[in-house]
């Protein structure tokens, strides 16, 4: 019985510690950084055989920090294949991004520049797929750039 109680106490302590780790990581990501506004350039889509379009909604945690100076960049193999500026749509900051590629199934990385925080957030996002619907639900359409609450 004592061993069971001790095991429960250790498990509770570990989960509490994990939560604190996410909270402190999230807090540090939201403190002002020193990143300058990137000079990402929209690619020439004539250079690509295929394109896809997705409306990316900024996650709730970052909405209050967003502005029309924010940018979103999509890269495949570290090459810029799409750039979008933030726009306010029905009280939500969104990015309408066109992405070009010559290969289906390639991994896409998203880079989000937040002007107010002066940080670039990066996430491995998904695979290039021209059949992806432009809008939808879930982490693909609202990428978690900072740890979820």
């Amino acid at each position: 019985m004592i061993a069971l109680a001790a095991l429960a106490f250790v498990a509770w302590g570990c989960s509490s510690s994990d939560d604190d780790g996410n909270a402190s990581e999230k807090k540090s990501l939201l403190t002002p950084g020193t990143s300058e506004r990137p000079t990402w350039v929209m690619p020439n889509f004539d250079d690509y055989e295929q394109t896809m379009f997705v409306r990316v909604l900024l996650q709730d945690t970052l909405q209050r920090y967003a502005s029309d100076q924010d940018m979103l960049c999509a890269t495949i193999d570290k090459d810029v294949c799409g750039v979008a500026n933030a726009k306010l749509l029905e009280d939500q900051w969104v990015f309408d991004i066109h992405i070009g590629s010559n290969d289906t199934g390639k991994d896409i990385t998203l880079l989000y520049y937040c002007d107010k925080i002066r940080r670039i957030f990066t996430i491995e996002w998904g695979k290039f797929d021209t059949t992806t619907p432009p809008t939808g639900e879930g982490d693909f359409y609202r990428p978690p750039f900072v740890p979820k609450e």
Side-chain angles (χ1 to χ4, degrees), residues 22-95:
N22 266 354
S24 65
E25 179 185 355
K26 181 170 127 181
K27 183 178 179 182
S28 70
L29 288 172
L30 298 176
T31 58
T34 59
S35 296
E36 295 294 324
R37 190 168 200 270
T39 56
W40 297 318
V41 177
M42 183 70 72
N44 179 353
F45 290 106
D46 292 336
D47 294 340
Y48 297 106
E49 295 173 9
Q50 307 170 52
T51 62
M52 64 185 275
F53 172 81
V54 178
R55 173 166 285 162
V56 175
L57 285 78
L58 196 56
Q59 77 182 104
D60 292 340
T61 304
L62 292 169
Q63 283 286 333
R64 65 182 162 160
Y65 300 101
S67 74
D68 60 0
Q69 294 301 304
D70 294 3
M71 299 174 71
L72 187 70
C73 176
T75 64
I76 295 177
D77 296 331
K78 298 186 181 181
D79 293 324
V80 173
C81 58
V83 176
N85 293 313
K87 69 179 183 180
L88 192 58
L89 183 66
E90 298 177 8
D91 297 326
Q92 291 281 314
W93 288 98
V94 302
F95 297 89

Coordinates of all heavy atoms in Angstrom, one line a residue, residues 22-95:
N22 N 6.5 23.2 -19.9 CA 5.8 23.7 -21.1 C 5.4 25.2 -20.8 O 5.6 26.0 -21.7 CB 4.5 23.0 -21.4 CG 4.7 21.9 -22.4 OD1 5.7 21.8 -23.0 ND2 3.6 21.1 -22.6
A23 N 5.0 25.5 -19.6 CA 4.6 26.9 -19.2 C 5.8 27.8 -19.3 O 5.7 28.9 -19.9 CB 4.0 26.9 -17.8
S24 N 7.0 27.4 -18.8 CA 8.1 28.3 -18.8 C 8.7 28.4 -20.2 O 9.1 29.5 -20.6 CB 9.2 27.8 -17.9 OG 9.8 26.5 -18.3
E25 N 8.6 27.3 -21.0 CA 9.1 27.4 -22.4 C 8.2 28.3 -23.2 O 8.6 29.2 -23.9 CB 9.0 26.0 -23.1 CG 9.4 26.0 -24.5 CD 9.3 24.7 -25.2 OE1 8.9 23.7 -24.6 OE2 9.5 24.6 -26.4
K26 N 6.9 28.2 -23.0 CA 5.9 29.1 -23.6 C 6.2 30.6 -23.2 O 6.2 31.5 -24.1 CB 4.5 28.7 -23.3 CG 3.4 29.5 -24.0 CD 2.1 28.9 -23.8 CE 1.1 29.9 -23.2 NZ -0.2 29.4 -22.9
K27 N 6.4 30.8 -21.9 CA 6.6 32.2 -21.5 C 7.9 32.7 -22.1 O 7.9 33.9 -22.5 CB 6.7 32.2 -19.9 CG 6.9 33.5 -19.3 CD 6.9 33.5 -17.8 CE 7.1 34.9 -17.3 NZ 7.2 34.9 -15.8
S28 N 8.9 32.0 -22.2 CA 10.2 32.5 -22.7 C 10.0 32.8 -24.2 O 10.7 33.7 -24.7 CB 11.3 31.5 -22.5 OG 11.2 30.3 -23.2
L29 N 9.2 32.0 -24.9 CA 9.0 32.2 -26.3 C 8.2 33.5 -26.6 O 8.3 34.1 -27.7 CB 8.3 31.1 -27.0 CG 9.1 29.8 -27.2 CD1 8.2 28.7 -27.6 CD2 10.2 30.0 -28.2
L30 N 7.4 34.0 -25.6 CA 6.6 35.1 -25.8 C 7.2 36.4 -25.3 O 6.7 37.5 -25.4 CB 5.2 34.9 -25.1 CG 4.4 33.7 -25.7 CD1 3.1 33.5 -24.9 CD2 4.1 33.9 -27.1
T31 N 8.5 36.3 -24.7 CA 9.2 37.5 -24.3 C 9.9 38.1 -25.6 O 10.2 37.4 -26.5 CB 10.2 37.2 -23.2 OG1 11.1 36.2 -23.7 CG2 9.6 36.7 -22.0
P32 N 10.0 39.4 -25.6 CA 10.6 40.1 -26.8 C 12.0 39.5 -27.1 O 12.8 39.3 -26.2 CB 10.7 41.5 -26.4 CG 9.6 41.7 -25.4 CD 9.6 40.4 -24.6
G33 N 12.2 39.3 -28.4 CA 13.5 38.8 -28.9 C 14.2 39.9 -29.7 O 13.9 41.1 -29.5
T34 N 15.1 39.6 -30.6 CA 15.9 40.6 -31.3 C 15.8 40.4 -32.8 O 16.6 41.0 -33.5 CB 17.3 40.5 -30.8 OG1 17.8 39.2 -31.0 CG2 17.4 40.9 -29.3
S35 N 14.9 39.5 -33.3 CA 14.9 39.2 -34.7 C 14.4 40.4 -35.5 O 13.4 41.0 -35.2 CB 14.0 38.0 -35.0 OG 14.5 36.9 -34.5
E36 N 15.1 40.8 -36.6 CA 14.7 41.8 -37.5 C 13.6 41.2 -38.4 O 13.5 40.0 -38.6 CB 15.8 42.3 -38.3 CG 16.9 43.0 -37.5 CD 16.4 44.3 -36.9 OE1 15.6 45.0 -37.5 OE2 16.8 44.6 -35.7
R37 N 12.8 42.1 -39.0 CA 11.8 41.6 -40.0 C 12.5 41.0 -41.2 O 13.4 41.5 -41.8 CB 11.0 42.8 -40.5 CG 9.7 42.4 -41.3 CD 8.8 43.6 -41.5 NE 7.5 43.1 -41.8 CZ 7.0 42.9 -43.0 NH1 7.8 43.1 -44.1 NH2 5.8 42.6 -43.2
P38 N 12.1 39.7 -41.5 CA 12.8 39.0 -42.5 C 12.6 39.6 -43.9 O 11.6 40.3 -44.1 CB 12.1 37.6 -42.5 CG 11.4 37.5 -41.2 CD 11.1 38.9 -40.8
T39 N 13.4 39.3 -44.8 CA 13.3 39.8 -46.2 C 12.9 38.6 -47.1 O 13.4 38.5 -48.3 CB 14.7 40.4 -46.7 OG1 15.7 39.4 -46.5 CG2 15.0 41.6 -45.9
W40 N 12.0 37.7 -46.6 CA 11.5 36.6 -47.4 C 10.9 37.2 -48.7 O 10.1 38.1 -48.7 CB 10.5 35.8 -46.7 CG 11.1 35.1 -45.4 CD1 12.3 34.5 -45.3 CD2 10.4 35.0 -44.2 NE1 12.4 34.0 -44.0 CE2 11.3 34.3 -43.3 CE3 9.2 35.4 -43.7 CZ2 10.9 33.9 -42.0 CZ3 8.8 35.1 -42.4 CH2 9.7 34.4 -41.6
V41 N 11.2 36.6 -49.8 CA 10.7 37.1 -51.1 C 9.8 36.0 -51.7 O 10.1 34.8 -51.7 CB 11.9 37.3 -52.1 CG1 11.4 37.7 -53.5 CG2 12.8 38.4 -51.5
M42 N 8.7 36.5 -52.2 CA 7.7 35.6 -52.8 C 8.4 34.9 -54.0 O 9.0 35.5 -54.8 CB 6.5 36.4 -53.3 CG 5.4 35.6 -54.0 SD 4.5 34.5 -52.8 CE 3.6 35.8 -51.9
P43 N 8.2 33.6 -54.1 CA 8.8 32.8 -55.2 C 8.1 33.1 -56.5 O 6.9 33.5 -56.5 CB 8.7 31.4 -54.8 CG 7.5 31.3 -53.9 CD 7.5 32.7 -53.2
N44 N 8.7 32.8 -57.6 CA 8.1 32.8 -58.9 C 7.4 31.5 -59.1 O 8.1 30.5 -59.3 CB 9.2 33.1 -60.0 CG 8.6 33.1 -61.4 OD1 7.4 32.9 -61.6 ND2 9.4 33.5 -62.3
F45 N 6.1 31.5 -59.1 CA 5.3 30.3 -59.2 C 5.4 29.6 -60.6 O 5.1 28.4 -60.7 CB 3.9 30.5 -58.7 CG 3.8 30.7 -57.2 CD1 3.5 32.0 -56.7 CD2 4.0 29.7 -56.3 CE1 3.5 32.2 -55.4 CE2 4.0 29.9 -55.0 CZ 3.7 31.1 -54.5
D46 N 5.9 30.3 -61.5 CA 6.2 29.7 -62.9 C 7.3 28.7 -62.8 O 7.4 27.9 -63.7 CB 6.5 30.8 -63.9 CG 5.3 31.7 -64.2 OD1 4.2 31.3 -64.0 OD2 5.6 32.9 -64.6
D47 N 8.1 28.8 -61.8 CA 9.2 27.8 -61.6 C 8.8 26.5 -61.0 O 9.6 25.6 -60.9 CB 10.3 28.4 -60.7 CG 11.0 29.6 -61.3 OD1 10.9 29.8 -62.5 OD2 11.6 30.4 -60.5
Y48 N 7.5 26.4 -60.7 CA 7.0 25.2 -60.0 C 5.9 24.5 -60.9 O 5.1 25.2 -61.5 CB 6.4 25.5 -58.7 CG 7.4 26.0 -57.7 CD1 7.4 27.4 -57.3 CD2 8.3 25.2 -57.1 CE1 8.3 27.9 -56.4 CE2 9.2 25.7 -56.2 CZ 9.2 27.1 -55.9 OH 10.2 27.6 -55.0
E49 N 5.9 23.2 -60.8 CA 4.9 22.4 -61.6 C 3.6 22.4 -60.9 O 2.5 22.3 -61.5 CB 5.4 21.0 -61.7 CG 6.6 20.8 -62.6 CD 7.2 19.4 -62.6 OE1 6.5 18.5 -62.1 OE2 8.3 19.2 -63.2
Q50 N 3.6 22.6 -59.5 CA 2.3 22.4 -58.7 C 2.3 23.5 -57.7 O 3.4 24.0 -57.2 CB 2.3 21.1 -58.0 CG 2.5 19.9 -58.9 CD 2.7 18.6 -58.1 OE1 1.9 18.3 -57.2 NE2 3.7 17.9 -58.4
T51 N 1.1 23.9 -57.3 CA 0.9 24.9 -56.2 C -0.3 24.4 -55.3 O -1.1 23.7 -55.8 CB 0.6 26.3 -56.7 OG1 -0.6 26.3 -57.4 CG2 1.8 26.9 -57.5
M52 N -0.2 24.8 -54.1 CA -1.3 24.6 -53.2 C -1.6 25.9 -52.4 O -0.7 26.7 -52.3 CB -1.0 23.4 -52.2 CG 0.1 23.7 -51.2 SD 0.5 22.2 -50.2 CE -0.7 22.4 -48.9
F53 N -2.8 26.1 -52.0 CA -3.2 27.2 -51.2 C -3.9 26.8 -49.9 O -4.7 25.9 -49.9 CB -4.3 28.0 -52.1 CG -4.9 29.2 -51.3 CD1 -4.2 30.4 -51.2 CD2 -6.1 29.0 -50.7 CE1 -4.8 31.4 -50.4 CE2 -6.7 30.0 -49.9 CZ -6.0 31.2 -49.8
V54 N -3.4 27.5 -48.8 CA -4.0 27.2 -47.5 C -4.1 28.5 -46.7 O -3.3 29.3 -46.8 CB -3.0 26.2 -46.7 CG1 -3.5 25.9 -45.3 CG2 -2.8 24.9 -47.5
R55 N -5.3 28.6 -46.0 CA -5.5 29.7 -45.1 C -5.0 29.2 -43.7 O -5.6 28.2 -43.1 CB -6.9 30.1 -45.0 CG -7.1 31.1 -43.9 CD -8.5 31.8 -44.0 NE -8.3 32.8 -45.1 CZ -9.4 33.3 -45.7 NH1 -10.6 33.0 -45.3 NH2 -9.2 34.2 -46.6
V56 N -3.9 29.8 -43.2 CA -3.4 29.4 -41.9 C -3.9 30.4 -40.9 O -3.7 31.6 -41.0 CB -1.8 29.4 -42.0 CG1 -1.2 29.1 -40.6 CG2 -1.3 28.4 -43.0
L57 N -4.5 29.9 -39.8 CA -5.0 30.8 -38.7 C -3.9 30.8 -37.7 O -3.3 29.7 -37.3 CB -6.3 30.2 -38.1 CG -7.5 30.4 -38.9 CD1 -7.6 29.5 -40.1 CD2 -8.7 30.3 -38.0
L58 N -3.6 31.9 -37.1 CA -2.6 32.0 -36.1 C -3.2 31.4 -34.8 O -4.4 31.7 -34.5 CB -2.3 33.5 -35.9 CG -1.0 33.8 -35.1 CD1 0.2 33.1 -35.7 CD2 -0.7 35.2 -35.0
Q59 N -2.4 30.6 -34.1 CA -3.0 30.0 -32.9 C -3.4 31.0 -31.8 O -2.9 32.2 -31.8 CB -2.0 29.0 -32.3 CG -0.8 29.6 -31.5 CD 0.2 28.6 -31.0 OE1 1.2 28.4 -31.6 NE2 -0.2 27.9 -30.0
D60 N -4.3 30.7 -31.0 CA -4.9 31.6 -30.0 C -3.8 32.3 -29.1 O -3.9 33.5 -28.9 CB -5.9 30.9 -29.1 CG -7.2 30.5 -29.9 OD1 -7.4 31.1 -30.9 OD2 -7.9 29.6 -29.4
T61 N -2.8 31.5 -28.7 CA -1.8 32.1 -27.9 C -1.1 33.3 -28.5 O -0.7 34.2 -27.8 CB -0.7 31.0 -27.6 OG1 -1.4 29.9 -27.0 CG2 0.3 31.5 -26.6
L62 N -1.0 33.3 -29.8 CA -0.2 34.3 -30.5 C -1.1 35.4 -31.1 O -0.6 36.5 -31.5 CB 0.6 33.7 -31.6 CG 1.8 32.9 -31.2 CD1 2.4 32.1 -32.4 CD2 2.8 33.7 -30.5
Q63 N -2.4 35.2 -31.1 CA -3.4 36.2 -31.7 C -3.2 37.6 -31.1 O -3.1 38.6 -31.8 CB -4.8 35.8 -31.5 CG -5.3 34.7 -32.4 CD -5.5 35.2 -33.8 OE1 -5.8 36.3 -34.1 NE2 -5.4 34.2 -34.7
R64 N -3.0 37.8 -29.8 CA -2.9 39.1 -29.2 C -1.6 39.8 -29.5 O -1.5 41.0 -29.3 CB -3.1 39.0 -27.7 CG -2.0 38.3 -26.9 CD -2.3 38.2 -25.5 NE -1.6 37.1 -24.9 CZ -1.3 37.1 -23.6 NH1 -1.8 38.0 -22.8 NH2 -0.6 36.1 -23.1
Y65 N -0.6 39.1 -30.0 CA 0.7 39.7 -30.4 C 0.8 40.0 -31.9 O 1.7 40.6 -32.3 CB 1.8 38.7 -30.0 CG 1.9 38.4 -28.5 CD1 1.4 37.2 -28.1 CD2 2.4 39.3 -27.6 CE1 1.4 36.9 -26.7 CE2 2.5 39.0 -26.3 CZ 2.0 37.8 -25.8 OH 2.1 37.5 -24.5
A66 N -0.2 39.6 -32.6 CA -0.1 39.7 -34.1 C -0.4 41.1 -34.6 O -1.1 41.9 -33.9 CB -1.1 38.7 -34.7
S67 N 0.1 41.4 -35.8 CA -0.2 42.7 -36.4 C 0.0 42.5 -37.9 O 0.4 41.5 -38.4 CB 0.8 43.7 -35.9 OG 2.1 43.5 -36.5
D68 N -0.3 43.6 -38.6 CA -0.2 43.5 -40.1 C 1.2 43.5 -40.6 O 1.5 43.4 -41.7 CB -1.0 44.6 -40.8 CG -0.6 46.0 -40.4 OD1 0.3 46.1 -39.5 OD2 -1.2 47.0 -40.9
Q69 N 2.2 43.6 -39.6 CA 3.6 43.6 -40.0 C 4.1 42.1 -39.9 O 5.3 41.9 -40.2 CB 4.4 44.5 -39.0 CG 4.1 45.9 -39.2 CD 4.4 46.4 -40.6 OE1 5.5 46.2 -41.1 NE2 3.4 46.9 -41.3
D70 N 3.3 41.2 -39.5 CA 3.7 39.8 -39.3 C 3.8 39.1 -40.7 O 3.1 39.5 -41.6 CB 2.8 39.0 -38.4 CG 2.8 39.5 -37.0 OD1 3.6 40.4 -36.7 OD2 2.1 38.9 -36.2
M71 N 4.6 38.1 -40.8 CA 4.8 37.3 -42.0 C 4.8 35.8 -41.8 O 5.2 35.4 -40.7 CB 6.1 37.7 -42.7 CG 6.3 39.2 -43.1 SD 7.9 39.5 -43.7 CE 7.9 38.7 -45.3
L72 N 4.5 35.1 -42.8 CA 4.6 33.6 -42.8 C 5.3 33.2 -44.0 O 5.1 33.7 -45.1 CB 3.2 33.0 -42.8 CG 3.1 31.5 -42.5 CD1 3.5 31.1 -41.1 CD2 1.7 31.0 -42.9
C73 N 6.3 32.2 -43.8 CA 7.1 31.7 -44.9 C 7.0 30.2 -44.9 O 7.1 29.6 -43.8 CB 8.5 32.2 -44.7 SG 9.7 31.5 -45.9
A74 N 6.8 29.6 -46.0 CA 6.9 28.2 -46.2 C 8.1 27.8 -46.9 O 8.5 28.4 -47.9 CB 5.6 27.7 -47.0
T75 N 8.8 26.8 -46.4 CA 10.0 26.3 -47.1 C 10.0 24.8 -47.3 O 9.3 24.1 -46.5 CB 11.3 26.6 -46.2 OG1 11.3 25.9 -45.0 CG2 11.5 28.1 -46.0
I76 N 10.6 24.4 -48.4 CA 10.8 23.0 -48.6 C 12.3 22.8 -48.9 O 12.8 23.5 -49.8 CB 9.9 22.5 -49.8 CG1 8.4 22.6 -49.5 CG2 10.3 21.1 -50.2 CD1 7.5 22.2 -50.7
D77 N 12.9 21.9 -48.2 CA 14.4 21.7 -48.3 C 15.1 23.1 -48.2 O 16.0 23.4 -48.9 CB 14.7 21.1 -49.6 CG 14.2 19.7 -49.8 OD1 14.0 19.0 -48.7 OD2 13.9 19.2 -50.9
K78 N 14.6 23.9 -47.2 CA 15.2 25.2 -46.9 C 15.1 26.3 -48.0 O 15.6 27.4 -47.9 CB 16.7 25.1 -46.5 CG 16.8 24.2 -45.2 CD 18.2 24.2 -44.7 CE 18.3 23.3 -43.5 NZ 19.6 23.3 -42.9
D79 N 14.3 25.9 -49.1 CA 14.1 26.9 -50.1 C 12.7 27.6 -49.9 O 11.7 26.8 -49.6 CB 14.1 26.3 -51.5 CG 15.4 25.7 -51.9 OD1 16.5 26.4 -51.6 OD2 15.5 24.7 -52.6
V80 N 12.6 28.9 -50.0 CA 11.4 29.6 -49.8 C 10.4 29.2 -51.0 O 10.8 29.4 -52.1 CB 11.6 31.1 -49.8 CG1 10.2 31.8 -49.8 CG2 12.4 31.5 -48.5
C81 N 9.3 28.7 -50.6 CA 8.3 28.3 -51.7 C 7.0 28.9 -51.5 O 6.0 28.6 -52.2 CB 8.2 26.8 -51.7 SG 7.7 26.0 -50.2
G82 N 6.9 29.9 -50.5 CA 5.6 30.6 -50.3 C 5.8 31.6 -49.2 O 6.5 31.4 -48.2
V83 N 5.2 32.8 -49.4 CA 5.3 33.9 -48.4 C 3.9 34.6 -48.3 O 3.3 34.7 -49.3 CB 6.4 35.0 -48.8 CG1 6.4 36.1 -47.8 CG2 7.7 34.3 -48.9
A84 N 3.5 34.9 -47.1 CA 2.2 35.6 -46.9 C 2.3 36.6 -45.8 O 3.1 36.4 -44.8 CB 1.1 34.6 -46.6
N85 N 1.6 37.7 -45.9 CA 1.5 38.7 -44.9 C 0.2 38.5 -44.1 O -0.8 37.9 -44.6 CB 1.4 40.1 -45.5 CG 2.7 40.5 -46.2 OD1 3.8 40.3 -45.6 ND2 2.7 41.0 -47.4
A86 N 0.3 38.9 -42.8 CA -0.9 38.7 -41.9 C -2.0 39.6 -42.4 O -1.8 40.7 -42.8 CB -0.5 39.0 -40.5
K87 N -3.2 39.1 -42.2 CA -4.4 40.0 -42.4 C -5.4 39.6 -41.3 O -5.6 38.5 -40.9 CB -5.0 39.9 -43.8 CG -5.6 38.6 -44.1 CD -6.1 38.7 -45.6 CE -6.9 37.4 -45.9 NZ -7.4 37.4 -47.3
L88 N -6.2 40.7 -40.9 CA -7.2 40.5 -39.9 C -8.5 40.2 -40.6 O -9.0 40.9 -41.4 CB -7.3 41.8 -39.1 CG -8.1 41.7 -37.8 CD1 -7.6 40.6 -36.8 CD2 -8.2 43.0 -37.1
L89 N -9.1 39.0 -40.3 CA -10.3 38.6 -40.9 C -11.3 38.1 -39.8 O -11.0 37.2 -39.1 CB -10.0 37.4 -41.8 CG -11.2 36.8 -42.6 CD1 -11.7 37.9 -43.6 CD2 -10.7 35.6 -43.4
E90 N -12.3 38.9 -39.6 CA -13.3 38.6 -38.5 C -12.7 38.4 -37.2 O -12.9 37.4 -36.5 CB -14.2 37.4 -38.9 CG -15.0 37.6 -40.2 CD -15.8 36.4 -40.6 OE1 -15.8 35.4 -39.9 OE2 -16.3 36.4 -41.7
D91 N -11.9 39.3 -36.8 CA -11.2 39.3 -35.5 C -10.2 38.2 -35.3 O -9.8 37.9 -34.2 CB -12.2 39.3 -34.3 CG -13.0 40.6 -34.3 OD1 -12.5 41.7 -34.7 OD2 -14.2 40.5 -33.9
Q92 N -9.7 37.6 -36.4 CA -8.7 36.5 -36.3 C -7.6 36.9 -37.3 O -7.8 37.3 -38.4 CB -9.3 35.2 -36.8 CG -10.2 34.6 -35.8 CD -9.5 33.9 -34.6 OE1 -8.6 33.2 -34.8 NE2 -10.0 34.2 -33.4
W93 N -6.3 36.8 -36.9 CA -5.2 37.0 -37.8 C -5.0 35.7 -38.6 O -4.9 34.6 -38.0 CB -3.9 37.4 -37.0 CG -4.0 38.7 -36.5 CD1 -4.4 39.1 -35.2 CD2 -3.8 39.9 -37.2 NE1 -4.4 40.5 -35.1 CE2 -4.1 41.0 -36.3 CE3 -3.4 40.2 -38.5 CZ2 -3.9 42.4 -36.7 CZ3 -3.3 41.6 -38.9 CH2 -3.5 42.6 -38.0
V94 N -4.9 35.8 -39.9 CA -4.8 34.7 -40.8 C -3.7 35.0 -41.8 O -3.3 36.2 -42.1 CB -6.1 34.3 -41.5 CG1 -7.2 34.0 -40.5 CG2 -6.5 35.4 -42.4
F95 N -3.2 34.0 -42.5 CA -2.3 34.1 -43.6 C -2.8 33.2 -44.7 O -3.0 32.0 -44.6 CB -0.9 33.5 -43.2 CG -0.3 34.3 -42.0 CD1 -0.5 33.9 -40.7 CD2 0.6 35.3 -42.3 CE1 0.1 34.6 -39.7 CE2 1.2 36.0 -41.3 CZ 0.9 35.7 -40.0

